[in-house]
Amino acid sequence: MSDITILIGTTKGAFLLHSATRDSWNLTGPHCDGWAINHVIGDPKTGNIWAGGGNAFSGAGIWRSDDGGATWQLSKLSKGEMDSWAEDNPEEAALFGWTAHDTSFDGDVTAIWSLSLANGRLMAGGNPGRLYESADGGQNWTRNDALSDHDTRDSWSPGGAGLVLHTIVRDPKDDAKMWVGISMAGVFATEDGGATWDRRNRLSNAGSCGYNAHPAAPRDGETGHCVHNFVRASTDVLYQQNHHGVWRSSDDGRSWEDITEGLPSTFGFPIAVHPHKPQMIWTLPLNSDSDGRYPPDASAAVWRSENGGDTWTDQRNGLPQDTCFFTVLRQAMATDQQTQAGVYFGTNSGSVFASRDEGETWDEVARHLPTILSVEVMDRI
């Protein structure tokens, strides 16, 4: 068994849940000075951790820890309202521990929403629809202009949280290949390290795309551009949860097949894939986008497919089955790397649920945290 850390982003900082056995857990936090943290990732080889977040008040930035979360340093990309106030009121700002930071992207980004690390390249996605790269572990950043200046950008529409770049997926065998998800602009892919980007939202069968009055619904032969989250399996298959269903792509996102049939609703946020079984996936459906965004019938269930989405079964053992009104957000579900994979998700009511047996049974391993925005796992084998 490896040392496992659940990395949790919340509206009031980052939290870390440590375990050597997956039986008992030790919580630390809040880290990152109570910033709103949208995403936390770790490097299992070094134990280094990065946390991205911010808002209009604090500005946008990425926190990094080189000692497993004991201490943190901030790389700030843009200033916020607090900085403007502090510069005009330095004595009062000193009482709050405010520190001035150099920023290179003022007016360009309001918050960091996603992080990804592969082959020494650290990537960060931000609002509105920005992608940044660091080659020195997160101390210095450059903007990917090819995506920011994409020729379709004028048609991108913001979702409820803004025009957020919330998902970054890498190909571990080819560092030049990458996919990003932007709400509500859809899936974009590069095969040349970010020099150019293709928009990839086409349905594999355009005939299955019927008319739907909802603005985020599939139409015109495309899945709909309000992608909520997507993951990549070890066999190059992509799985996507968007505003109107769950989808599968076997051709790097060039076309998508609807695999929603068998689920209790078409609406949900997260999706996760088994690290070693590419056809095993999990999602957590919610009742709808306009009726509360909680589990159908207020009864929580994670739904698992063992055949790539052809069929689905609900997993409820250990989850609340009555008066359950929580929401699980787009980045708040993940797996570890164990042979019998652990599955983890966090709720907007501040609970973390964990399964050691691929979703068969669940335990609440943390509660009363702030609203949970993201869950990732650093599995140090």
Side-chain angles (χ1 to χ4, degrees), residues 62 77 112-116 122-126 130-133 141 165 168:
I62 297 98
L77 274 64
I112 296 300
W113 272 77
S114 56
L115 298 167
S116 174
L122 185 63
M123 312 297 296
R130 303 300 193 201
L131 182 66
Y132 302 92
E133 178 178 348
W141 296 85
L165 196 159
I168 305 171

Side-chain angles (χ1 to χ4, degrees), residues 178-202:
M178 186 188 325
W179 299 260
V180 300
I182 303 174
S183 183
M184 298 173 42
V187 176
F188 293 79
T190 180
E191 297 186 359
D192 54 18
T196 61
W197 295 85
D198 296 324
R199 203 172 188 180
R200 295 188 179 174
N201 303 293
R202 184 174 64 84

Side-chain angles (χ1 to χ4, degrees), residues 101 116 218 234 350:
H101 291 270
S116 174
S234 58

Side-chain angles (χ1 to χ4, degrees), residues 344-361:
Y344 310 86
F345 70 86
T347 73
N348 68 338
S349 54
S351 293
V352 177
F353 288 90
S355 171
R356 294 176 295 167
D357 51 15
E358 300 177 348
E360 294 291 336
T361 59

Side-chain angles (χ1 to χ4, degrees), residues 8 37 74 133 186 329:
I8 306 166
I37 297 296
L74 173 62
E133 178 178 348
L329 297 173

Side-chain angles (χ1 to χ4, degrees), residues 321-344:
Q321 293 303 291
D322 298 298
T323 60
C324 177
F325 300 102
F326 62 53
T327 298
V328 178
L329 297 173
R330 70 176 84 240
Q331 292 162 286
M333 177 181 283
T335 70
D336 61 33
Q337 298 294 311
Q338 301 299 304
T339 301
Q340 187 175 36
V343 189
Y344 310 86

Side-chain angles (χ1 to χ4, degrees), residues 1-4 19-22 337-338 378-381:
M1 175 64 65
S2 62
D3 179 48
I4 292 175
S19 179
T21 63
R22 298 196 298 187
Q337 298 294 311
Q338 301 299 304
M378 182 169 64
D379 199 340
R380 304 194 69 185
I381 299 174

